[in-house]
Each structure stands twice: as C-alpha cells, then as structure tokens.
Amino acid sequence: MSRLAADKDLLIVRVAELYYEEGKTQDEIGALLDLSRFKVGRLLSQARADGIVRIEIVHPRARRLGLERQLRDRFGLHEAVVVPASNSADEDLKRVAQAAADQLTMLRPVPRTLAVSWGRTLTAVASSLEDGWARGVTVVQMNGGVSVNRRPGGAAPLAAAIAKRAAGHAVLLPSPAILDRLETKRAIESDRTIAGVLDQAAKADAYLFTAGVCDESSAHVENGYLSAGDVDELTRRGAVGDVLGRYVDADGNIVDPELDSRTLGLGLDQLRAAKVAIFVTAGQAKHDIARTVVRGGLCTTMVTDEDTARALLEEV
Amino acid sequence: MSRLAADKDLLIVRVAELYYEEGKTQDEIGALLDLSRFKVGRLLSQARADGIVRIEIVHPRARRLGLERQLRDRFGLHEAVVVPASNSADEDLKRVAQAAADQLTMLRPVPRTLAVSWGRTLTAVASSLEDGWARGVTVVQMNGGVSVNRRPGGAAPLAAAIAKRAAGHAVLLPSPAILDRLETKRAIESDRTIAGVLDQAAKADAYLFTAGVCDESSAHVENGYLSAGDVDELTRRGAVGDVLGRYVDADGNIVDPELDSRTLGLGLDQLRAAKVAIFVTAGQAKHDIARTVVRGGLCTTMVTDEDTARALLEEV
DNA sequence: ATCGAAATTGCTCATATGAGCAATTAGCTG
DNA sequence: CAGCTAATTGCTCATATGAGCAATTTCGAT
C-alpha cells in the first residue's frame, strides 16, 4: 500500500488533483505515490464515478444530454432537450426559450403549418427566434386568447411574431379563451371563419405549446378569463394546471367538464395524435403539469430546464 | 466547414457534450460532425482553456494546487495549502482547520517543540487534529492570553488540547495578552517562570499561529483586553490586524508602539526568523492582515481558503 | 486454520490522444 | 490583384490510457 493511504477518498482526491490540476500522466502519478499506473487509472475512474471529479459544461447553449436520454427512455418521447440550471428563474426561462427556438429552427421537414398556444413561455420563444428561422411557415393560433388586458404573452402578437420571423403569415383565432355561456361558445365555434381556423390548426404539421399553472399567476387570471376564486376551486378539484386552456388533474383528466365545454380551441386528443408536438416548459411551478403532459403522451418533444428534468425523473 | 457551424462556441459546446457527457471518442465525434479528429481535439482543448468545460475536484479534503503554486511563487513561501471554497464561512474554517491539522501531522521532521498562538481559528485546528498526530511534542504558548471571559479560543485550553493529542505536554504562559502598565508587563516578563516559557517559545522548532482582525469581533475585545474604542483608534492609525497581539499596518509596521510595549509574548522578528512558521487563516475579514503576513515574510507556510488565496493573488 | 468466493491487481495489446511540423488557407496591406 | 504574414489544418509518430483477462489477494464462513 502507498505511503499516503490513510484514507481511500483522500488518496483519490490527491490523485485527481495531480492528474486534472497538475496535468501529470498516470505513470508519473504512480511513480510519485508508489502505485501502478493501472491503479491510478482505476482511482481516476472512481473519482469521476463518485462525483469527486466533476466535469461540467458551462455555457448558456449547453445541454444535459444524459438527462435528455433518460427523459426519452422514461416517457417515450421522440426528443427531449434539457438546458443546464442557471442562477435565476429568468435565466432558466431564457435558456429554455433559446433551446426551443433552436429546435424549431432545426426541425425537419420544415412544417408548412405550425399551430401555437400562448403565454409568457412562448413569448420568450418567439423572442429567441431569429429572422429567417424558416421560410413561409403559416402560424395558426390553436386556442382562444384575445388579450383582454394589455400584457405581454397575448396570443395574436405571439403568433404574428413567430410568423414574421419565418417570412410567413399568421392565422389568428379571434375568440376569447373561455366564454361565459356554452351557447356563445357554440355560436362562435360554428362561425365559418372560426371553424376554418380551428380546422387549419387541427391539420397542422407541428404544434408548439406550453402549459399553464393553476394559481393566481395563471395567464387566465391575468387576462380576466378566471378569477382567483375560480382557480382555487379548480385546485380543489385536483387540477395541476392547464394545457390549451384545458384544466386537468395529475392523471390528465378534465376536472371541470362544464368549464371545459366553454373553452374554445383544440382538444388534448389532437395533441396526442400529433406527429410533432413540442412542449416548452420552465420553472418549478409547472413541475406537476409538466409531469402530466409527458405521462399523458401529449407531446413528442419536450424542451425544459435541468431542475424540471430531474424532478420528473426523480419519481419512482 | 461543418454543417453545424453557425457559431463557433456552439460547436465547441456540442463537441464537449459528445465527448464528456456521451463518452464518444474524438474520431467518432469527427465523423458525426464532419470534422477531423485533430480539429475535435483542438476544440476540446479550447473548451477547457475557455472555461466552457470545467473540471472541478469536489471534496472537503480537496486542495487547489494551482493557487498553491502561485502563492509560493508570488510570496516566496516554502509551502502553501489552499482548500476549495464552500458554501459558508463556517465550512471554510473547518476545511482550513482540517488542512492545517493535516500539515502538522505530516510535518517532517516532527517538531519536538511547537509554539502556538491562540484564537478561534487555532481552536478549530486543535479540534481537527487526531489523537496521535505526533508523539511527545511540547506545545508552548508564545503570547499572553489567559482567558478573562469564558469563551472558546482560550490560549491555555488550546495549547493543552494540541499537546494532549500528541501525547505531549503543554507549557503555558500564565499572563494576560496586554498589561495595563508597562511596569507590570516588565515585572511579569522578568519573572523566572515567565522568562523561561518565553525562552522556550523563542527556541521552538516550529510555530503555529493565526492573525486577528482589527474590529469589534477581535478576540482581544471579546476577552476584555481592548475596548471597541481602542480598536477604532488602532484602525484610525492604519492597523489591518494583529499577529501575536502586535497590531500592524499594511506594511507590517507597529501602529502603536506604546500599546505594543505593554503586549506580552514573542515579537514578529522571531516569526520572521523561524524555520517553520505555519500561518492559518480563513475568511474575508482577515484578507488584509493575511496579505501583510505573507508580504512581510512572517510565515514559511500558509494554510488558507480559496477566496483568501485569490484575493492575495489578485493584487498587482 | 482452511477453503471458496469475491475483490483487486498487474499485464498485454489495442485504441485514443497530443506534440511538433509542414502544408494550406485566410486576412490584410499596398 | 498580388504578396506576405498569421492562423489553421491534417499528419506522423510517440505517448497515454483503457478493456479484458489471468493471477493474486482479501474476506467471510465453517
């Protein structure tokens, strides 16, 4: 045994320091510490395996490929994109948005029609897209959301921005997200213009969407479609969030069918059936709804941050 | 140029991900990205050089060998020990203390007589020493410090603890750190017992000491030797801290000769002359006095934390 | 104390990588 | 556009490292 061997971990630390910080070869380290180079090599492997040596890729555009593979395997996703955790929620969102923009830009074949939902997350994606990310894409709004309040994240400006940067055009859904009365929703839905847009959305080549949280910070509350009391009631019924305005519980079941019937836009079955459905999410508030989306097969591609990926993978 | 080359850094990130996270060879990566393996190798070197790939040794007993070498080179130290930054000041102190304990334990030849100062930092070192760290070491107190208040960090218990763990014995200096009157200090200093201890300390084989800050948290204030007003005055005179109770400015000059004359214990010249003088320090509050110590040649070995090392090396 | 199984070690040979060099390419200046 | 310099690239050859295997050592049970 070597002279230094008071403690195995301490030996591993010393070996790792000589190799990674001093740049010495395994042979040189062996000579210094009275060990064979094979033993030194094994100690280094162990240092990496035990996390004593940590090799990290530090860059805003970096990905976490290991987590991506685990997400694909665990949830049967066609593709997963995970970006490294940063020091703030805002930076996490920016990185996720940039990664989603990258995914859209690299999508092959290029979609001729792209259906989009709306919210702050997708607004960030739109901001990250470069001009010319594609050419001639028709961007169709797939759920209601005329902006009642003047806040960022409105559906119409978002779809328009994405379309503009692809030298395409936007097809808007001029309807509120949720109607007060079922009759009104049915009337709007039957209008030839609205029906045409929904039909176009249903036939889109690809879908880009995010999910909403079920609390006061919800875009629906911000935009006046729901009150704080409404979302409290939805939470009581087990809702973990919404997809395309459809409030669902952890198992993906609609928690309030009556409310759902008054909600205008594509249904979740249409996402399930899609060949390309890109789900973009960031932040801990959306962990629950994110889990529901990937478990429920509502997306083919997920773009998210490291903490969300770890949270989804943690569960037995 | 490769198909992916929209951005050089992005290429570097992708290459680094495939190599370090996917475990692919440089040949394999070259084939995937339409690059030569030599180009891949260069990109990886650049990734490490630019900090995009960060290789870190994460362990409480880890050292920062690069910083150690720089400290030795810059300040002419015989030895420097730097431990990685942790998440808290307490943990930093524990790591520095453990490293100092390691240094003492590995010191060759084993000192027959070890002179020690006192304070919270050395108390932590004493706590980190293992029983049997050496055999038969005489631990001599080298500056006054009978505990007036009952607080951890007292000189006598500290020397005793270090001695006990070395199956040795302690030689205490039964005197206050600072006397009220010069006559009293001279009388105590002349006492044969006290003179004998000081003489033994002066002839010690090795010295272990820390430095004190010049503010209200000073051990001298805590122990009642100085008032808060006293240290304010010392600060006004340019003091950055104390070594063995000797308050000095950034250049190592005694700021209050009168106070100094009433201070009992070895002088700084004796540290300067020592063959082995181990200086232990942690925390930002001591950066200034730490700089004075290493610049002034008051130690041969420095044991400190990463942030202190970087601060000392930062200055032109 | 013995025996068997598991763990560890040192080795051979193949693979992976880097240093230094010559050739090529890119960029700048006149 | 030409010429020169700097930067970059691909290569050879040597070095560094890892996989798989046989031998050795360690450990636990009887």
Side-chain angles (χ1 to χ4, degrees), chain A residues 4 7 9-10 13-14 16-18 20-22 51-59 61-66 69 102 106, chain B residues 4 7 9-10 13-14 16-18 20-22 51-59 61-66 69 102 106:
Chain A
L4 266 186
D7 177 14
D9 262 19
L10 198 50
V13 166
R14 294 292 163 257
E17 285 164 349
L18 290 166
Y20 286 107
E21 292 189 31
E22 297 294 279
I52 290 177
V53 164
R54 187 174 298 171
I55 302 180
E56 207 173 13
I57 295 157
V58 184
H59 190 276
R61 302 293 274 273
R63 305 242 301 249
R64 289 286 177 261
L65 301 181
R69 184 170 44 254
D102 289 344
M106 291 171 55
Chain B
L4 267 186
D7 175 16
D9 262 19
L10 197 51
V13 166
R14 294 292 162 257
E17 284 164 348
L18 290 166
Y20 286 106
E21 291 189 35
E22 296 295 279
I52 290 179
V53 164
R54 187 173 299 168
I55 302 179
E56 207 173 12
I57 295 158
V58 184
H59 190 276
R61 302 294 275 272
R63 302 237 310 243
R64 288 286 178 262
L65 302 181
R69 184 173 40 257
D102 289 343
M106 290 170 57

Side-chain angles (χ1 to χ4, degrees), chain A residues 63-245:
Chain A
R63 305 242 301 249
R64 289 286 177 261
L65 301 181
L67 290 175
E68 292 181 1
R69 184 170 44 254
Q70 288 181 67
L71 283 174
R72 290 198 302 273
D73 292 348
R74 176 78 66 88
F75 299 108
L77 296 170
H78 178 263
E79 187 147 11
V81 177
V82 178
V83 300
S86 69
N87 295 325
S88 76
D90 283 345
E91 179 63 22
D92 273 2
L93 177 57
K94 282 176 86 177
R95 292 183 178 188
V96 168
Q98 181 61 66
D102 289 344
Q103 280 307 108
L104 264 184
T105 305
M106 291 171 55
L107 200 54
R108 293 294 180 276
V110 178
R112 295 172 60 94
T113 310
L114 174 71
V116 299
S117 72
W118 56 274
R120 282 181 297 273
T121 301
L122 288 209
T123 296
V125 176
S127 300
S128 300
L129 278 167
E130 287 185 12
D131 283 328
W133 70 271
R135 295 175 55 91
V137 175
T138 299
V139 181
V140 187
Q141 191 184 331
M142 64 174 155
N143 58 320
V146 172
S147 183
V148 174
N149 293 335
R150 297 206 172 282
R151 296 286 290 264
L158 183 150
I162 296 178
K164 186 176 175 183
R165 295 183 192 222
H169 68 285
V171 177
L172 304 182
L173 189 66
S175 167
I178 304 171
L179 285 306
D180 285 340
R181 297 197 295 113
L182 178 57
E183 288 74 16
T184 317
K185 181 251 190 182
R186 279 179 169 153
I188 296 181
E189 207 171 39
S190 301
D191 180 86
R192 271 187 302 151
T193 307
I194 302 291
V197 173
L198 287 172
D199 190 63
Q200 200 168 352
K203 291 171 178 170
D205 300 313
Y207 296 79
L208 178 71
F209 68 104
T210 186
V213 296
C214 197
D215 62 30
E216 289 81 30
S217 67
S218 163
H220 287 132
V221 174
E222 269 190 14
N223 285 281
Y225 295 113
L226 297 174
S227 67
D230 289 329
V231 300
D232 283 347
E233 172 60 20
L234 288 166
T235 299
R236 272 196 285 280
R237 292 176 187 234
V240 294
D242 78 282
V243 178
L244 306 191

Side-chain angles (χ1 to χ4, degrees), chain A residues 237-261:
Chain A
R237 292 176 187 234
V240 294
D242 78 282
V243 178
L244 306 191
R246 317 266 171 206
Y247 283 87
V248 293
D249 61 16
D251 294 321
N253 301 314
I254 301 292
V255 297
D256 183 341
E258 199 275 328
L259 172 71
D260 196 74
S261 71

Side-chain angles (χ1 to χ4, degrees), chain B:
Chain B
M1 212 176 210
S2 88
R3 295 185 283 262
L4 267 186
D7 175 16
K8 180 70 176 302
D9 262 19
L10 197 51
L11 181 61
I12 289 178
V13 166
R14 294 292 162 257
V15 163
E17 284 164 348
L18 290 166
Y19 189 76
Y20 286 106
E21 291 189 35
E22 296 295 279
K24 291 187 185 302
T25 68
Q26 295 175 13
D27 249 340
E28 288 169 338
I29 296 170
L32 275 171
L33 305 185
D34 201 30
L35 304 166
S36 74
R37 81 160 178 86
F38 312 104
K39 170 76 171 178
V40 172
R42 289 193 172 94
L43 291 171
L44 288 169
S45 290
Q46 195 177 336
R48 291 188 293 269
D50 292 349
I52 290 179
V53 164
R54 187 173 299 168
I55 302 179
E56 207 173 12
I57 295 158
V58 184
H59 190 276
R61 302 294 275 272
R63 302 237 310 243
R64 288 286 178 262
L65 302 181
L67 291 175
E68 293 182 2
R69 184 173 40 257
Q70 290 182 65
L71 283 174
R72 290 200 301 275
D73 291 347
R74 175 77 67 86
F75 299 109
L77 297 170
H78 177 264
E79 186 149 11
V81 177
V82 178
V83 299
S86 69
N87 296 325
S88 76
D90 283 345
E91 180 63 23
D92 274 2
L93 176 56
K94 282 175 90 178
R95 291 183 180 187
V96 167
Q98 183 62 67
D102 289 343
Q103 279 308 106
L104 265 184
T105 304
M106 290 170 57
L107 200 55
R108 293 296 180 274
V110 180
R112 293 171 62 92
T113 310
L114 173 70
V116 298
S117 73
W118 56 276
R120 282 181 296 273
T121 301
L122 288 209
T123 296
V125 175
S127 300
S128 300
L129 280 168
E130 287 185 10
D131 283 329
W133 70 271
R135 294 175 55 93
V137 174
T138 299
V139 180
V140 189
Q141 191 185 333
M142 64 174 155
N143 58 320
V146 172
S147 181
V148 174
N149 293 334
R150 297 203 170 286
R151 296 286 291 266
L158 182 149
I162 296 178
K164 183 177 178 182
R165 297 185 191 221
H169 68 287
V171 177
L172 303 182
L173 190 65
S175 165
I178 304 170
L179 287 305
D180 285 339
R181 298 198 293 114
L182 178 56
E183 287 76 16
T184 316
K185 181 252 189 179
R186 277 176 172 156
I188 295 182
E189 209 170 35
S190 300
D191 180 86
R192 272 188 300 152
T193 307
I194 302 291
V197 174
L198 286 171
D199 189 61
Q200 196 169 357
K203 291 171 176 169
D205 299 312
Y207 296 79
L208 179 71
F209 69 103
T210 186
V213 296
C214 196
D215 62 31
E216 290 80 31
S217 67
S218 162
H220 287 131
V221 173
E222 270 189 12
N223 285 282
Y225 295 113
L226 296 174
S227 69
D230 289 329
V231 301
D232 283 347
E233 172 60 19
L234 288 166
T235 300
R236 272 196 287 278
R237 293 177 187 233
V240 294
D242 79 282
V243 178
L244 307 189
R246 318 262 174 210
Y247 284 88
V248 293
D249 62 15
D251 295 321
N253 301 314
I254 302 290
V255 298
D256 185 340
E258 198 276 329
L259 172 72
D260 196 72
S261 71
R262 296 189 277 110
T263 300
L264 198 138
L266 295 192
L268 302 185
D269 283 341
Q270 272 144 327
L271 283 180
R272 248 183 221 107
K275 282 180 179 171
V276 178
I278 302 174
F279 172 46
V280 187
T281 184
Q284 184 176 356
K286 297 187 179 182
H287 284 187
D288 288 340
I289 186 63
R291 183 174 294 112
T292 299
V293 169
V294 299
R295 273 190 178 160
L298 293 172
C299 64
T300 58
T301 295
M302 176 186 204
V303 183
T304 192
D305 60 276
E306 182 171 357
D307 293 338
T308 300
R310 290 190 190 284
L312 300 196
L313 291 165
E314 222 165 57
E315 222 169 85
V316 177

